Amino acid sequence: MLTDSGTNAMSDNQLAAMMVADDAYAGSESFYKLARVVKKVFGFEHTLPVHQGRAAEHLLVKVFLKPSQVVLNNYHFPSTRVHVELVGSRILDLVSDNALIPAGNEPFKGNIDIIKLKQAIAEHGPENVAFIRMEATTNLIGGQPFSMQNLRDVKAIAKEHGLILILDGSLIGENAYFIKQREAGYAGKSIQEILNEMMSHIDILYMSGRKSGGARGGLIATNNRTYFDQLMTWLPVYEGFSTYGGMSTKKLKQWRLA
């Protein structure tokens, strides 16, 4: 298999929904249904649809990244790294050394090494860190998850230094499942409860719908109106109007039933 993107089959309900999606350019009802699903599942008030995950990365880099700054993350995805480097910046992978040992049995190899994170911020200075990025799960090292405690610790450091914490949630369902299976105190919690807690620690979520979402396209979501407005400025330039964002309304309709 070349990729996990788009290998999932759509359900009969998704296929049927595509047939009755409204095709309004602005004010599409399909978008508002998507926004309600995002609010229900992730708890975010503001949603920006994009045609796929790398389109979300393009917008995030356009708005929040300046040349010579660095992006700190657990482990990069190829499209993320390219977007960052095209701006003239660098992305730093901060997983622990043990995370790159295939035979190792650590339960959360996707954790950001907190010591490395503090050292990177001290070395570059908070003003030269564009944002901190967590990927759920770290695709390039085999889909390794991070723990809730690690996310909590990273958020505390980000808040201390006034840094934005962005989560690539393309495989968020898998990461939540691993937390339930492997982290103390979460065995009795539902996946939805774990998702709620994860979302409470981040500033911006972006994702491809082709993996955990079981749909096509992608999105950016946040509760921060300032971040939303900054991203919205560029959405029509690179993607499309705010109620379709480069996706057809048929694709938008899939999300409600994924």
Side-chain angles (χ1 to χ4, degrees):
M1 292 179 67
L2 176 63
T3 177
D4 56 357
S5 297
T7 56
N8 53 293
M10 288 187 289
S11 69
D12 54 349
N13 285 334
Q14 285 177 293
L15 289 167
M18 292 175 68
M19 297 297 102
V20 295
D22 67 289
D23 287 320
Y25 175 80
S28 166
E29 179 59 27
S30 297
F31 165 75
Y32 294 106
K33 290 177 179 177
L34 166 64
R36 286 195 291 270
V37 168
V38 172
K39 171 66 174 175
K40 177 182 178 181
V41 176
F42 299 115
F44 292 116
E45 294 288 347
H46 309 299
T47 300
L48 292 166
V50 292
H51 80 274
Q52 58 188 84
R54 69 198 62 190
E57 291 175 339
H58 179 219
L59 288 172
L60 290 165
V61 165
K62 178 72 178 178
V63 171
F64 298 114
L65 184 60
K66 299 175 182 177
S68 78
Q69 284 187 316
V70 294
V71 172
L72 309 180
N73 79 152
N74 49 357
Y75 210 83
H76 73 274
F77 188 73
S79 61
T80 320
R81 178 174 177 176
V82 171
H83 279 121
V84 169
E85 292 181 349
L86 283 172
V87 176
S89 305
R90 289 189 299 148
I91 189 166
L92 304 181
D93 296 324
L94 301 177
V95 292
S96 69
D97 296 337
N98 291 335
L100 303 181
I101 301 174
N105 58 2
E106 291 187 18
F108 293 106
K109 290 184 179 181
N111 281 354
I112 281 185
D113 186 306
I114 297 300
I115 294 176
K116 288 184 179 181
L117 178 61
K118 291 179 178 179
Q119 289 174 340
I121 295 173
E123 177 184 349
H124 295 279
E127 69 280 4
N128 294 315
V129 177
F131 53 82
I132 300 174
R133 173 185 173 274
M134 296 283 279
E135 184 175 315
T137 55
T138 46
N139 205 311
L140 281 192
I141 57 173
Q144 299 295 333
F146 56 78
S147 69
M148 188 74 78
Q149 184 60 53
N150 187 247
L151 181 62
R152 196 179 295 122
D153 293 342
V154 171
K155 175 58 179 178
I157 293 171
K159 185 176 181 180
E160 177 186 351
H161 295 285
L163 299 173
I164 302 170
L165 179 54
I166 297 176
L167 174 65
D168 177 345
S170 297
L171 290 165
I172 190 71
E174 287 78 354
N175 205 116
Y177 176 79
F178 281 124
I179 288 173
K180 180 178 176 66
Q181 293 295 313
R182 298 177 179 180
E183 190 164 359
Y186 288 93
K189 293 185 180 291
S190 68
I191 295 297
Q192 183 62 66
E193 288 173 324
I194 293 171
L195 285 176
N196 292 344
E197 185 173 345
M198 292 174 78
M199 296 304 103
S200 73
H201 297 307
I202 67 170
D203 299 301
I204 300 173
L205 168 74
Y206 79 93
M207 63 185 297
S208 162
R210 289 178 174 267
K211 301 178 178 73
S212 287
R216 303 298 183 261
L219 60 82
I220 304 173
T222 183
N223 280 326
N224 187 301
R225 182 71 198 205
T226 300
Y227 298 156
F228 174 78
D229 289 341
Q230 289 174 296
L231 291 161
M232 178 68 83
T233 299
W234 292 102
L235 183 71
V237 178
Y238 296 109
E239 290 294 294
F241 196 70
S242 60
T243 53
Y244 72 92
M247 275 194 281
S248 71
T249 54
K250 291 179 173 60
K251 287 182 179 179
L252 283 171
K253 201 67 176 288
Q254 295 174 40
W255 286 78
R256 186 172 65 89
L257 299 164

